[in-house]
Amino acid sequence: MMPRNGHRYLIAAAAVLAATPPAAAAASQIWPDLNGIYWTNSYSAKIQPMGGGDPPYTAEALAEYRENAEAVKTYSLNDTARKLCTPDGVPRILASPYPFEIVETPERREIHILYELNHVIRLIEMDKPLPSADELETFPFYSGHSVGHFEGDTLVIETAGFNEKTFLDNSGAPHTDQLRTVERIRKIDGGRALEDVVTIHDPGVFTKDWSARFVYQPRPDI
C-alpha cells in the first residue's frame, strides 16, 4: 500500500534514529557508509533465483504456490500485507517498488531500514547472535529477528523467527516457520548502486537453498 507523503516519513523517521551526540561522528567511520535513500528501477511480482528459472519447490509446495497464484488473480488470497498493511517480510519487502532508507547508528550498534511501503521498520542488531531457538519459536515476527555484521564493505544480515502470515513475493510464494535468510548488502558500480543478494533457506518448502539478487539506485533527491 502506497502511503501519502511516504518520502517525508522516511526523512522524519531517519532524523529521529540518527540524532546522536557529536562524539558519534567518529564512531560512524568504523562502518562502511550505506546510509541513504534507495529505490529500485525494476519490479517483478515473482521472485526469481539468480541464474533464472523457478525456485526449487518441493512437489507439495509447488502445488500450494500454484493455488496461491490463482488466488492472487481473483483477489481471494489471504494476503494481510495488502489487505491490512502488515509487514511484507523478507524477501518480499526487498522487491518493493517504493523507496527505503538505511540509517546506521554505530554508537548503538544498530542499523535500521525504513520502508515507505506500509511504514515498515526493520531493526538489525549488529555483532550479536540470533535469539535462541526457543525465543524465535515463541516470538515470531512478520519481519523476523535480524542480526548483522560487516565483512569488509558488505553488510551481512541473518534473519530468522518469521511467522507464517507472509509470502516470499507478490505472486503468493509460500514459506514455513523454518525460513531463514542471509542478505549480503554492498555498494557496487563505484557507489552508484546498492546490491542485496539474499539466500533463502526453508527445508519445509524448498529442496535446497537458493539466492535472489536485488539492485537499487541511490535517490538523495527525495
Side-chain angles (χ1 to χ4, degrees):
M1 180 175 294
M2 177 67 168
R4 295 181 179 178
N5 299 320
H7 65 288
R8 295 180 183 175
Y9 155 77
L10 292 177
I11 294 170
V16 172
L17 292 171
T20 57
S28 67
Q29 300 304 311
I30 297 173
W31 292 349
D33 184 8
L34 300 179
N35 292 288
I37 297 175
Y38 301 90
W39 204 339
T40 186
N41 57 5
S42 63
Y43 168 75
S44 174
K46 183 178 179 179
I47 193 168
Q48 187 175 51
M50 295 174 64
D54 294 318
Y57 292 109
T58 64
E60 183 178 280
L62 180 58
E64 180 181 353
Y65 170 65
R66 288 173 174 167
E67 182 177 333
N68 290 347
E70 288 301 313
V72 168
K73 297 176 183 178
T74 59
Y75 303 99
S76 59
L77 184 68
N78 184 22
D79 186 356
T80 59
R82 295 298 168 266
K83 294 180 179 180
L84 302 176
C85 296
T86 57
D88 275 25
V90 181
R92 186 181 187 182
I93 193 72
L94 307 182
S96 169
Y98 305 123
F100 64 92
E101 183 163 10
I102 297 176
V103 180
E104 298 178 352
T105 50
E107 67 286 349
R108 294 202 298 260
R109 311 306 294 176
E110 294 176 351
I111 293 177
H112 289 82
I113 307 180
L114 318 174
Y115 294 90
E116 182 171 316
L117 180 65
N118 294 348
H119 288 184
V120 170
I121 297 177
R122 290 180 66 195
L123 166 64
I124 294 90
E125 297 188 280
M126 298 296 289
D127 304 311
K128 292 184 178 181
L130 281 167
S132 67
D134 285 345
E135 185 175 349
L136 293 175
E137 183 177 353
T138 304
F139 301 103
F141 294 157
Y142 283 97
S143 297
H145 300 254
S146 294
V147 296
H149 64 276
F150 277 103
E151 295 181 1
D153 64 352
T154 301
L155 171 61
V156 181
I157 302 174
E158 300 177 69
T159 307
F162 294 95
N163 64 37
E164 295 183 84
K165 300 177 182 179
T166 63
F167 298 97
L168 299 183
D169 65 9
N170 289 327
S171 70
H175 70 82
T176 72
D177 60 4
Q178 298 179 65
L179 173 66
R180 287 178 176 248
T181 63
V182 177
E183 296 167 73
R184 300 185 64 86
I185 302 173
R186 62 175 183 145
K187 288 184 176 179
I188 59 173
D189 194 20
R192 292 186 291 272
L194 185 77
E195 176 189 69
D196 188 339
V197 174
V198 57
T199 298
I200 297 164
H201 169 84
D202 188 345
V205 172
F206 302 111
T207 60
K208 62 181 179 179
D209 294 356
W210 57 283
S211 299
R213 181 175 183 260
F214 301 89
V215 177
Y216 314 95
Q217 306 304 316
R219 289 297 303 270
D221 54 312
I222 61 174

